[in-house]
Amino acid sequence: MTVKVFVVDDHYMVIEGIRALLQNEPGIEFVGNATNGESCLAFLQRQQPDLILLDINLPDKKGFDLCKDIKSKYPTIQILGLSTFNQRSYIDKMMENGASGYLLKNAGKDELLKGIETAMKHKTYLSHEAALSLRNEESEDLPVLTRRENEILEYIAQGLTNQEIADKLFISYSTVDSHRKSLLHKFGAKNVAVLINLASKYKFI
Amino acid sequence: MTVKVFVVDDHYMVIEGIRALLQNEPGIEFVGNATNGESCLAFLQRQQPDLILLDINLPDKKGFDLCKDIKSKYPTIQILGLSTFNQRSYIDKMMENGASGYLLKNAGKDELLKGIETAMKHKTYLSHEAALSLRNEESEDLPVLTRRENEILEYIAQGLTNQEIADKLFISYSTVDSHRKSLLHKFGAKNVAVLINLASKYKFI
DNA sequence: TATAAAATCCCTTAAAAACATGATTTTTTA
DNA sequence: TAAAAAATCATGTTTTTAAGGGATTTTATA
């Protein structure tokens, strides 16, 4: 049986790269590609592939959300996340939203084929480096944020003050301040500038 | 005469994409690739291509700096910047450091060939979207920072206070504060959180 | 060489963040 | 169901930022 593969990525060169890598592979058929979420969903209405390679950074929609959408409408389609970042929070989010695994764009042909094969067996596949980053020191000492911390981090990045956040969430100033403190502490940041810099760098926001 | 093309990019899929696009193109030979600055320079010691497609985000070195290095050692090699961001400051930096142009990774075969052709004629080539972004409203209203503002923005992102920056630059607190104010104003940011968020998003830092 | 732009400096006030230190209540999970 | 983790709240102090309103000196550049 031939595995029908569809690619969603806004970079034409990456699409071409994957197409080239999958060309002449027995058992795999490249059935098409999309460069944004909208055209991806439009394609799926007409035709369903077996597996989608889905970039996380799409122009019109976050890859995470698209992943969720696809999985809810077409639960049998396997999805492999695709991105340049081997960031724990990225990998986690992708898996939470129903992906079967995660490939980095610097993955080679072997990994790509292995990933497709593994996903089609309904097992989880992670890129070598992505898998490493889950055990890696550098990633390991990246903070793990709670639901509330993530929420408040987002508001801080938007420029809201503690009081404004407190009003918005119907909690006291003190509580927001506590969360802010723990954010600074978890990131090892001495002030909000460093906090936002790191959070942005590591794609928390 | 055949144009020898070398690709430097840390994403294997992009390299494969370019290789696939250039395959069977008369007059163009894909002579190799590197995934980091070091191996790129090592390659150049043995062999010089006519043109290098150079990614801006490299693991060991900033693409900008590598561009400068290559140009100073091998002035006859043409360089085309390669990145996913069509950000004015990126394009500017690349050109300042001696690049002949700039290609986005969502460029198609036509643009790629056009870019190579144009660069080999010692003319400037910009990706369609990159060229647009130089005239685009969205990019146009992105701030243009002065030397000092850039410098101080960097220190703010590192977490230094006005006083610490003042000490470091041997200027007064007031001066730093003025620059900080103009940064906030130029970015339309109400506080440093928004400032750093935007600056990071648009690759100023 | 005018003119504009950039960099420099100063003062004041109010708001917000950062730091310290502690505690209670909910929720999760082993 | 205990223990751990998360979320909640409080009080007080010090430091830093933000906003407002100037002004002078360098440095580019038309």
Side-chain angles (χ1 to χ4, degrees):
Chain A
M1 175 217 166
T2 304
V3 179
K4 290 178 184 173
V5 175
F6 186 77
V7 177
V8 186
D9 196 297
D10 61 329
H11 299 117
Y12 186 66
M13 291 181 183
V14 173
I15 293 173
E16 281 306 310
I18 294 173
R19 191 203 300 275
L21 289 171
L22 295 182
Q23 211 165 32
N24 303 323
E25 270 309 311
I28 293 180
E29 186 191 352
F30 188 102
V31 295
N33 64 266
T35 55
N36 58 60
E38 198 192 347
S39 63
C40 169
L41 291 171
F43 179 93
L44 294 181
Q45 286 191 319
R46 297 196 309 277
Q47 188 183 342
Q48 283 96 50
D50 300 304
L51 183 141
I52 296 176
L53 292 167
L54 177 58
D55 187 25
I56 281 172
N57 301 98
L58 293 174
D60 58 343
K61 200 164 191 174
K62 285 204 174 160
F64 309 120
D65 300 331
L66 184 58
C67 183
K68 212 172 199 171
D69 284 4
I70 295 172
K71 267 291 177 181
S72 69
K73 283 184 195 156
Y74 315 95
T76 60
I77 298 180
Q78 299 301 306
I79 296 176
L80 280 177
L82 199 62
S83 106
T84 61
F85 310 103
N86 59 336
Q87 179 47 40
R88 198 198 174 109
S89 59
Y90 263 51
I91 301 169
D92 289 347
K93 266 189 195 165
M94 212 61 208
M95 308 302 280
E96 276 168 27
N97 285 353
S100 303
Y102 192 89
L103 284 173
L104 291 168
K105 286 187 188 175
N106 55 359
K109 190 173 185 175
D110 290 349
E111 280 198 26
L112 179 58
L113 294 178
K114 195 77 188 292
I116 293 173
E117 190 190 322
T118 309
M120 289 313 294
K121 286 180 189 160
H122 301 274
K123 288 182 187 167
T124 295
Y125 184 84
L126 294 181
S127 247
H128 180 60
E129 282 195 45
L132 274 183
S133 94
L134 293 179
R135 315 200 154 272
N136 183 320
E137 306 114 65
E138 210 191 327
S139 309
E140 203 68 343
D141 64 7
L142 272 177
V144 177
L145 303 186
T146 67
R147 186 197 106 251
R148 216 40 158 178
E149 283 164 357
N150 264 305
E151 205 174 357
I152 285 169
L153 174 60
E154 187 63 50
Y155 286 130
I156 293 173
Q158 287 172 19
L160 304 205
T161 65
N162 284 342
Q163 193 54 61
E164 288 168 338
I165 297 172
D167 293 346
K168 184 156 278 190
L169 297 178
F170 304 106
I171 55 180
S172 84
Y173 177 95
S174 311
T175 306
V176 179
D177 198 47
S178 287
H179 289 304
R180 184 187 212 106
K181 268 183 268 191
S182 67
L183 280 168
L184 290 174
H185 183 253
K186 283 189 176 180
F187 276 92
K190 67 169 281 198
N191 58 31
V192 85
V194 178
L195 172 67
I196 298 298
N197 198 195
L198 290 172
S200 179
K201 190 173 166 189
Y202 293 119
K203 310 287 167 190
F204 283 84
I205 47 178
Chain B
M1 173 215 167
T2 305
V3 179
K4 290 178 183 172
V5 175
F6 186 77
V7 177
V8 186
D9 196 297
D10 60 330
H11 299 118
Y12 185 66
M13 290 181 183
V14 173
I15 292 174
E16 281 307 309
I18 294 173
R19 191 203 300 275
L21 290 171
L22 295 182
Q23 213 167 31
N24 303 322
E25 269 310 309
I28 293 181
E29 187 191 353
F30 188 101
V31 296
N33 65 266
T35 53
N36 57 60
E38 199 192 347
S39 64
C40 169
L41 291 171
F43 179 93
L44 295 181
Q45 286 191 318
R46 297 196 310 277
Q47 189 183 340
Q48 283 95 50
D50 301 304
L51 182 141
I52 296 177
L53 292 168
L54 177 58
D55 186 26
I56 280 173
N57 300 100
L58 293 174
D60 58 343
K61 200 165 191 172
K62 285 205 174 158
F64 309 120
D65 300 330
L66 184 59
C67 182
K68 213 172 199 170
D69 285 4
I70 294 171
K71 267 292 176 181
S72 69
K73 284 182 194 157
Y74 315 96
T76 60
I77 297 180
Q78 299 302 307
I79 296 176
L80 280 178
L82 199 62
S83 106
T84 60
F85 310 103
N86 59 338
Q87 179 46 41
R88 197 198 173 109
S89 59
Y90 264 51
I91 301 168
D92 288 348
K93 267 189 192 165
M94 212 61 208
M95 308 302 281
E96 276 168 26
N97 284 353
S100 304
Y102 192 90
L103 282 173
L104 291 169
K105 287 187 187 174
N106 55 0
K109 191 173 184 174
D110 291 348
E111 281 198 25
L112 179 59
L113 295 177
K114 195 77 189 290
I116 293 173
E117 190 190 323
T118 310
M120 290 313 294
K121 285 181 190 163
H122 302 274
K123 288 183 188 166
T124 294
Y125 184 84
L126 294 180
S127 246
H128 180 60
E129 283 194 44
L132 275 183
S133 94
L134 293 179
R135 315 200 155 272
N136 184 319
E137 307 113 66
E138 213 190 322
S139 310
E140 203 68 344
D141 63 7
L142 272 177
V144 177
L145 304 187
T146 68
R147 187 196 106 251
R148 216 41 158 178
E149 283 164 356
N150 264 303
E151 205 174 356
I152 285 169
L153 174 60
E154 187 62 49
Y155 286 130
I156 292 173
Q158 286 171 19
L160 304 204
T161 64
N162 285 343
Q163 192 54 61
E164 288 167 339
I165 297 171
D167 293 345
K168 184 154 275 189
L169 297 178
F170 304 106
I171 55 180
S172 85
Y173 177 96
S174 311
T175 306
V176 179
D177 197 49
S178 286
H179 289 304
R180 185 188 210 103
K181 268 184 270 191
S182 66
L183 280 167
L184 290 173
H185 183 252
K186 283 189 176 181
F187 276 92
K190 67 168 281 197
N191 59 30
V192 86
V194 178
L195 172 67
I196 298 300
N197 199 195
L198 290 172
S200 180
K201 188 173 168 190
Y202 293 118
K203 310 286 166 191
F204 283 84
I205 46 177

